[in-house]
């Protein structure tokens, strides 16, 4: 019973149901089969996502932020807001670090 059109609840809370395919897909920033999704650590990706050498990457749920070296992670997250931290809503996706309706 993997048909999510019968029940949206079978998808992970960080996934959405594509009704035409009857399948769950993890949101941007998460990986998995749609039934279980885990946060992707963008900071451990092969390509460093933060462009400036003085910036360090801080992984947050569903995304990442780039912090200047003088701030601690918490202050940085609070000041910047995170890039789609916590993922976007059910019918939205993360585009250019902003949640956008599908």
């Amino acid at each position: 019973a993997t048909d999510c059109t019968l029940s949206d609840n079978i998808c992970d809370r960080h996934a959405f149901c594509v009704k035409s395919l009857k399948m769950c897909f993890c949101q941007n920033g998460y990986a998995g089969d749609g039934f279980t999704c885990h946060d992707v650590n963008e900071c451990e990706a092969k390509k460093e996502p933060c462009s400036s050498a003085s910036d360090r990457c801080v992984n947050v749920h569903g995304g990442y932020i780039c912090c200047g070296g003088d701030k601690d992670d918490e202050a940085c997250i609070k000041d910047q807001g995170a890039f789609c931290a916590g993922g976007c809503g059910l019918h939205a996706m993360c585009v250019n670090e902003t949640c956008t309706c599908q």
Side-chain angles (χ1 to χ4, degrees), residues 55-56 58 64-68 71 73-83:
D55 285 352
R56 72 183 188 288
V58 178
Y64 67 93
I65 55 175
C66 299
C67 285
K71 281 189 187 168
D73 294 357
E74 251 171 70
C76 194
I77 290 167
K78 190 170 161 282
D79 288 354
Q80 274 182 249
F83 298 158

Side-chain angles (χ1 to χ4, degrees), residues 2-5 7-38 40 87-94 102:
T2 57
D3 180 351
C4 59
T5 60
S7 169
D8 271 345
N9 299 339
I10 67 168
C11 298
D12 186 270
R13 71 184 191 97
H14 296 294
F16 56 91
C17 179
V18 175
K19 303 244 186 273
S20 58
L21 298 173
K22 300 181 176 184
M23 290 172 66
C24 300
F25 290 94
C26 295
Q27 295 169 350
N28 252 14
Y30 292 86
D33 61 8
F35 303 108
T36 52
C37 300
H38 59 274
V40 173
C88 299
L90 189 61
H91 300 291
M93 55 199 298
C94 187
Q102 289 174 324

